[in-house]
Amino acid sequence: MDFYILKKQQELIAIPASENNCKQYLDSGYFYIDKVAACNETNALKALHAKQTKTLKIPLLIALLALPIVFSTWYSLT
């Protein structure tokens, strides 16, 4: 089942992916964050967190792999 993740101030909620239901929340001040597939609301929020963590891990991993190359190049040039 798909869920829309919405946010109002610091509160994150997951609602079933229904356009009419989503419009009601958006009219009451919520903002659309993402759409995720999960079996319930709790797992939808966990899936969003995992998705955000994954997008942060990839650039961090690339940076950590590039660091030794930069240091070895700097050392060989000096």
Side-chain angles (χ1 to χ4, degrees), residues 5-56:
I5 307 296
L6 304 173
K7 183 176 183 177
K8 184 176 187 179
Q9 296 172 354
Q10 298 300 319
E11 177 189 11
L12 278 176
I13 61 167
I15 60 169
S18 164
E19 298 234 356
N20 293 333
N21 196 14
C22 184
K23 286 180 184 178
Q24 291 175 350
Y25 278 94
L26 292 175
D27 291 340
S28 67
Y30 284 87
F31 295 97
Y32 175 81
I33 301 296
D34 203 357
K35 181 179 179 182
V36 296
C39 58
N40 60 28
E41 291 88 358
T42 305
N43 287 343
L45 293 173
K46 287 180 183 177
L48 175 71
H49 181 68
K51 189 176 184 181
Q52 291 174 339
T53 303
K54 184 177 179 182
T55 50
L56 291 175

